[in-house]
Amino acid sequence: MEPEILIVAEHNGSELDPITFDLIAWGSQIASEKNWKVGVLVLGFQVNGLLETMRRSAVDVIFALDDPVLQDYNSCVYVQAVARTLMKTAPRLILLGHTYLGIEISGGLAAKLDATLWSNCLAIKPTPGGFLVTRPVSGGAFLSTLEIESGACNVISLQRGSSPLKELPIKFPEVIGLSVPPESDPARIKVTGETKPSFAEDITKADLLVAVGRGIGQQSRLPPFLDLAQALGGAIAASRPIVDMGWLSVDHQVGLSGVTVRPKVYLACGISGSAQHVAGMRDSRLIIAINEDPSAPIFQIAHYGIVGDIFEIVPALINEARRSADRQEKSGGTTN
Amino acid sequence: MNIVVCLKAVPTNVKDPVPKSDGAGILTEGDCFMNASDDYALEQALLLKKDFGTRVTAVTVGSVRSQDILHVSLAKGADEAIRVDADEFDPNIVSFILSRALRDLSYDLILTGVESSDGMSSQVGISLGAQLGLPYVYAVTKMAFGNGEDRLLVTRELGGGRYQTLEVDKPALLCVQSGIAPLTYTPPVKLIHARRKGVPSRSLSDLGITGEELARRRKTKVIEIKPLEKNSSTQWLSGNPEQLARVIIDKISKAL
Ligand SMILES: Cc1cc2nc3c(=O)[nH]c(=O)nc-3n(C[C@H](O)[C@H](O)[C@H](O)COP(=O)(O)OP(=O)(O)OC[C@H]3O[C@@H](n4cnc5c(N)ncnc54)[C@H](O)[C@@H]3O)c2cc1C
């Protein structure tokens, strides 16, 4: 079977990454409009367990590339391996996640196929002549709609959590095993190790986080936020630029490349709410955002939004927090 | 040794972007600045220059509006800066133009940022590396030379606090993650000097790119741009700072 849509699955060796199901949902939707078939490619080493999970999904065929050389992710080896699959099937559309892996593989494949690539999409709609995609621009405060002319093959990558459908039919697809080519071109990238540094401070344990972003402007303006976090009995957190500039250490960074937090309260101060930041805090129980720009994407996920200058509001917040703590102490209402 | 750093000028405070009339991009107004992660890529190149005497060439594809970032790059210490005069938005086209511009340059290493704040595609760097047939790595947080200066020792981010260490053959393309090195201060005198000197620009025809070739590659039209729809379940709080503080602290106390 030659599916018109090919999805590149992502996994960590033992579990499929949820992005794979987002891609399958998009693939199924497009396939039903176009009367196409959907294939999914699972690459890795010892992926049998994953294939079993995949068989209970809405795809028409599974391609499996199972080989020790695919144990560690390596863009050189992976792009070659995916390209190899394309000798067996010639899809019209390749879907990947807009992830660390997807960014590298999609760029490599598009160049090999001389295909048009659009990344970081939130939605796709097939049209008679190609595809309409929606994607963020200008820091995510705006959405653009693009019309892509279909070529022999198009490559599109999608953001996490963008999937359109929930319930999909299970198709028990057949699994086609493929072999990885002997390395004709010795990999010019060698993986030498993987690390996960441990952190001095664990902000994931805090019930309340006061999170600061680039909106604080200068390092010298950080102390009031530290005071506020202390007055509220919480910890300080930050968006990436604050850590990049060395104003707070990396253990305070929330987001895709930092830690994922789920505190009872997340108070975002001067944070725009990029997808990479939101990925690490969207499940906080109560999100309060203060930002001077009413169109900042952070307000999309905030339960309470305050449009205003953090430097006007934070001193008042510190006073009020201290007063409230005093009141609790007097009434003997503190818990510790 | 030669390093090419690809930089992009991005508009800030974008208010009302609209598609260009032919759909070939987005019209914005306002000043342009160096894209954040590109600034770090430049900083990393200049660190290598300091340690190894590497020659650093800064390249951008952009209209006259983007040339000041090249002045900044020269003021910071780049040896040469080139602007390719083209106002393109589509990363498929920008990476193609860059691949042509790089044909005439010698390089051991190409550095770019990870993502531009306006286009948000994280695509130009990897596509450029792939079109040039180079090994490429996205989201590099550390780099050094190993085995003399033959190989690159690279640490890259995998997300969720995980990192991978790699050995990469030269020449290579690395997309530099923000924060790789501290940003240095640019003395205003140097900037004034660089602005006075100006930067050379090259046209697409200088690079041998014909109008037909570009038209053939133009596969995408911007149809519409609209602000994010407001989330109707967000509750907006207003008042003076003291009133706001009382309401916010009350909500927080109840949630804890
Ligand atoms: C691969 C990759 C991984 C990444 N990982 C992460 C990650 O883990 N975590 C992360 O946070 N980012 C991450 N980023 C970066 C991310 O894309 C954004 O650049 C970053 O989150 C922006 O941080 P910010 O919101 O603080 O800054 P900005 O986007 O610059 O926002 C600053 C905000 O402050 C507001 N503001 C300014 N002054 C005031 C004031 N006085 N009062 C009130 N509001 C004010 C502005 O309106 C603006 O909305 C990653 C990027 C990439 C490419």
Side-chain angles (χ1 to χ4, degrees), chain A residues 214 239-240 253-255 257 270 272 274 276-277 291 309-310:
Chain A
R214 194 157 21 209
S239 67
R240 176 156 192 142
Q253 182 183 316
V254 170
S257 52
S272 64
S274 68
Q276 294 98 343
H277 184 78
N291 195 305
D309 181 350
I310 41 178

Side-chain angles (χ1 to χ4, degrees), chain B residues 52 144-153 167 170:
Chain B
F52 298 92
F145 289 110
N147 193 15
E149 289 171 23
D150 246 17
R151 306 207 91 195
L152 288 157
L153 307 181
E167 278 181 32
K170 284 191 320 184

Side-chain angles (χ1 to χ4, degrees), chain A residues 111-234:
Chain A
K112 270 196 197 301
L113 300 169
D114 198 17
T116 303
L117 160 65
W118 279 97
S119 63
N120 198 7
C121 296
L122 296 162
I124 321 178
K125 205 178 151 34
T127 61
F131 303 95
L132 279 182
V133 297
T134 311
R135 54 187 308 286
V137 285
S138 296
F142 297 90
L143 289 179
S144 61
T145 305
L146 311 181
E147 188 177 71
I148 311 170
E149 201 182 294
S150 68
C153 178
N154 286 86
V155 184
I156 292 178
S157 78
L158 285 145
Q159 247 186 47
R160 277 179 191 284
S162 61
S163 79
L165 298 171
K166 293 281 173 275
E167 288 288 324
L168 291 169
I170 297 174
K171 294 190 175 168
F172 300 106
E174 67 165 327
V175 177
I176 300 179
L178 302 171
S179 64
V180 182
E183 257 173 67
S184 47
D185 178 14
R188 287 169 296 165
I189 295 181
K190 209 169 90 195
V191 178
T192 52
E194 200 180 305
T195 56
K196 186 165 181 176
S198 55
F199 289 150
E201 197 177 325
D202 185 1
I203 61 165
T204 64
K205 298 231 161 69
D207 278 339
L208 177 141
L209 289 170
V210 174
V212 292
R214 194 157 21 209
I216 70 168
Q218 298 165 24
Q219 186 171 18
S220 61
R221 304 187 86 169
L222 184 60
F225 298 91
L226 298 170
D227 291 346
L228 179 60
Q230 193 184 30
L232 290 169

Side-chain angles (χ1 to χ4, degrees), chain B residues 155-216:
Chain B
T155 304
R156 62 86 57 95
E157 205 171 86
L158 287 174
R162 283 162 59 230
Y163 296 85
Q164 205 180 30
T165 51
L166 309 166
E167 278 181 32
V168 184
D169 285 358
K170 284 191 320 184
L173 183 141
L174 305 181
C175 300
V176 171
Q177 179 55 291
S178 59
I180 195 167
L183 295 178
T184 53
Y185 170 74
T186 318
V189 210
K190 288 198 171 168
L191 195 55
I192 292 167
H193 188 73
R195 283 188 180 133
R196 225 176 264 150
K197 239 174 90 192
V199 289
S201 83
R202 306 192 62 189
S203 67
L204 292 179
S205 59
D206 289 343
L207 303 178
I209 301 175
T210 61
E212 295 87 75
E213 170 123 54
L214 211 58
R216 191 174 64 74

